Amino acid sequence: MPHYPLSEAKPELFSGNRTHSSDRTMDLGLAEDHFSRPVGSFVASDIEQLKLAIEECKKLILELPEHSERQKDTVVKLIHLRLKLQELKDPEEDEPNLRILLEHRFSKEKSKSVKQTCDKCSTIIWGLIQTWYTCTGCYYRCHSKCMNLITKPCVRSKVSHQSEYELSICPEIGLDRQDYRCAECRTPISLRGVPSEARQCDYTGQYYCSSCHWNDTAVIPARVIHNWEFEPRKVCRSSLRYLALMMSRPVLKLKEINPLLFNFVEELVEIRKLRQDILLMKPYFITCKEAMEARLLLQLQDRQHFVENDDMYSLQDLIDISSGRLSCSLTEIHTTFAKHIKLDCERCQAKGFVCELCKEGDILFPFDSHTSLCHDCSAVFHRDCYYDNSTTCPRCARMNERKQDEVERPPYL
């Protein structure tokens, strides 16, 4: 095949004459090695010629028989032409491995095959020929050439300094309050799509342009807490990253935000009881050598707050409660913990209680379903015995008598 420079490509390759197009599928100005690395500088005509070749290739794809080998080969060449065009527009340069900008910590990516989209310009990142970075905090991805155009600080800093959700459902303020501009980049927008389409974020209630809002969807915390609704809603890119980083953070105190939720969601009541039992088991484990060596509490390392309190929830907890996943896993852990205390470990068994009201039955533990605890001294009784008892707790009575004796006893001379 003759070797033609791209700037001197044969006229018939770009003319309207299609009589020989099917026989020249493999040409399209591709005889030259367009896929070698660029040497020196390129003038505008080089880029224009590539654009013409791309358009000619697109037209030829439409004319060739669908799913034919020729059409497939032409599609491959179209991809190569576009890569070459992008390479001329954005030649590779030596870039630092780490860049810090607006609290973002951008790390240079080494992957060449994974297809990504730039969060700034919304175009594809061609890893083979383009330098790109990812923020290690909020996973913001962008071309190297787009970094100086970033105006949004790292969402991770917001999570660190302000770990709370917007708890109003889609708190819209209206486009007029936004001056008909994107809430993030301030691009002019309108609901008519002129000059740019206005897209609402269901989390913030604000409107964004198509570059800042890609119609991604996420579960909205306010809808979960107030409506127990888990249907994903459309959110902007910054909200998507913020919600992803907040997903596992236990910042929701349900009994204060919406205490009535426990009256209508049985699964929440079940999980609360399991968590309360685990907190009652915790003192056994932290004083048991075998439990510490077996690292039993590490079974809850992904939900550390479960061994610290029983009233704080993360959004991921609520999603897993709704799906039934958390109930299954927590019940299994609860069974393992109880087995260690009541059956496997003699030290833990020795810390059980005998009901002082009836003095009958097996050894009791505070997490047993048929027991009740004295709120003052934490003694354990059969539930029926405790509520039928008209007197005070025997243990509390002994402790009060002891204190009284110490008060009345004359001081030693």
Side-chain angles (χ1 to χ4, degrees):
M1 182 179 291
H3 186 86
Y4 297 106
L6 184 59
S7 58
E8 299 176 4
K10 289 191 172 183
E12 61 264 31
L13 297 181
F14 304 98
S15 67
N17 185 1
R18 295 285 182 262
T19 55
H20 302 291
S21 60
S22 60
D23 296 328
R24 302 187 61 83
T25 306
M26 309 302 289
D27 289 346
L28 295 168
L30 294 176
E32 184 180 1
D33 182 12
H34 292 306
F35 317 120
S36 61
R37 294 186 56 79
V39 179
S41 60
F42 291 87
V43 294
S45 61
D46 296 320
I47 295 178
E48 291 303 318
Q49 291 290 348
L50 268 177
K51 288 181 178 179
L52 288 174
I54 288 172
E55 291 302 318
E56 186 71 14
C57 196
K58 289 163 63 176
K59 293 176 183 178
L60 188 53
I61 289 172
L62 296 176
E63 292 180 357
L64 290 170
E66 194 170 357
H67 304 304
S68 66
E69 289 301 321
R70 288 183 174 180
Q71 189 188 52
K72 292 177 182 178
D73 291 340
T74 311
V75 169
V76 171
K77 287 180 170 47
L78 175 62
I79 294 172
H80 288 174
L81 278 170
R82 284 178 167 169
L83 284 170
K84 181 63 178 180
L85 178 62
Q86 188 63 46
E87 184 180 6
L88 297 188
K89 289 183 176 180
D90 183 35
E92 184 177 352
E93 299 175 358
D94 292 333
E95 298 283 355
N97 290 327
L98 181 66
R99 297 178 65 176
I100 299 176
L101 178 68
L102 296 175
E103 298 186 353
H104 291 281
R105 292 182 62 85
F106 285 108
S107 176
K108 186 177 179 180
E109 291 291 347
K110 303 184 184 302
S111 174
K112 301 295 184 181
S113 58
V114 180
K115 182 179 177 180
Q116 302 289 353
T117 304
C118 177
D119 280 306
K120 179 58 185 176
C121 66
S122 306
T123 61
I124 294 175
I125 298 174
W126 298 101
L128 286 170
I129 58 176
Q130 292 179 311
T131 303
W132 60 291
Y133 287 80
T134 298
C135 175
T136 57
C138 65
Y139 309 108
Y140 188 101
R141 300 183 182 90
C142 69
H143 296 104
S144 173
K145 64 180 182 180
C146 295
M147 291 188 65
N148 293 332
L149 304 177
I150 296 173
T151 58
K152 191 73 174 178
C154 180
V155 177
R156 173 74 70 176
S157 62
K158 180 180 178 182
V159 172
S160 301
H161 300 120
Q162 184 185 359
S163 293
E164 59 184 17
Y165 286 116
E166 170 59 63
L167 296 180
S168 298
I169 297 178
C170 194
E172 181 178 358
I173 61 173
L175 267 174
D176 57 335
R177 293 281 297 276
Q178 293 183 209
D179 197 24
Y180 293 91
R181 292 180 178 274
C182 172
E184 184 168 327
C185 69
R186 307 304 296 165
T187 298
I189 54 175
S190 74
L191 292 176
R192 294 183 177 182
V194 180
S196 180
E197 177 189 5
R199 298 178 178 178
Q200 188 178 33
C201 172
D202 197 80
Y203 175 68
T204 65
Q206 295 179 306
Y207 290 89
Y208 300 80
C209 66
S210 57
S211 295
C212 299
H213 192 317
W214 297 1
N215 286 329
D216 298 299
T217 59
V219 175
I220 307 301
R223 294 186 181 274
V224 172
I225 293 172
H226 297 298
N227 299 342
W228 200 242
E229 176 192 339
F230 293 87
E231 180 183 355
R233 304 286 181 134
K234 293 180 179 180
V235 295
C236 66
R237 295 293 292 174
S238 58
S239 293
L240 181 71
R241 284 189 290 271
Y242 181 76
L243 292 173
L245 291 174
M246 288 286 290
M247 182 66 73
S248 299
R249 288 181 172 252
V251 297
L252 299 172
K253 199 168 188 175
L254 293 186
K255 68 179 184 182
E256 291 185 0
I257 302 171
N258 184 11
L260 293 178
L261 199 57
F262 290 91
N263 297 338
F264 297 95
V265 183
E266 296 180 0
E267 297 89 342
L268 275 175
V269 179
E270 177 190 357
I271 295 299
R272 181 174 61 182
K273 178 63 170 67
L274 290 172
R275 291 183 63 177
Q276 290 171 347
D277 287 351
I278 288 173
L279 288 177
L280 293 172
M281 296 176 183
K282 180 181 176 181
Y284 288 86
F285 294 147
I286 60 179
T287 57
C288 175
K289 182 180 179 181
E290 293 182 8
M292 295 298 287
E293 289 177 350
R295 299 187 176 185
L296 291 179
L297 288 176
L298 284 182
Q299 295 187 36
L300 288 169
Q301 61 181 340
D302 293 334
R303 303 183 199 266
Q304 187 65 33
H305 51 291
F306 279 18
V307 295
E308 296 173 353
N309 58 70
D310 64 358
D311 56 357
M312 300 300 292
Y313 294 83
S314 69
L315 183 58
Q316 187 64 59
D317 292 337
L318 302 182
I319 293 173
D320 291 343
I321 290 173
S322 175
S323 67
R325 190 182 306 114
L326 182 57
S327 177
C328 293
S329 62
L330 201 58
T331 299
E332 184 177 343
I333 292 173
H334 182 281
T335 302
T336 302
F337 286 3
K339 181 175 179 292
H340 171 86
I341 295 172
K342 301 176 71 172
L343 298 176
D344 297 342
C345 180
E346 293 182 358
R347 290 188 181 90
C348 292
Q349 291 178 40
K351 298 174 184 176
F353 293 81
V354 174
C355 179
E356 295 190 41
L357 296 175
C358 70
K359 296 182 174 57
E360 297 177 357
D362 298 330
I363 301 219
L364 305 179
F365 294 90
F367 50 84
D368 287 333
S369 59
H370 60 288
T371 61
S372 291
L373 274 71
C374 173
H375 297 295
D376 295 324
C377 69
S378 299
V380 182
F381 307 92
H382 290 114
R383 179 172 297 172
D384 293 340
C385 297
Y386 187 74
Y387 286 108
D388 291 343
N389 178 41
S390 58
T391 60
T392 59
C393 165
R395 188 178 182 186
C396 288
R398 289 198 306 273
M399 294 172 65
N400 290 333
E401 289 177 5
R402 192 177 303 158
K403 289 180 181 179
Q404 188 66 28
D405 291 342
E406 291 176 355
V407 171
E408 295 178 355
R409 185 183 304 161
Y412 290 103
L413 298 177

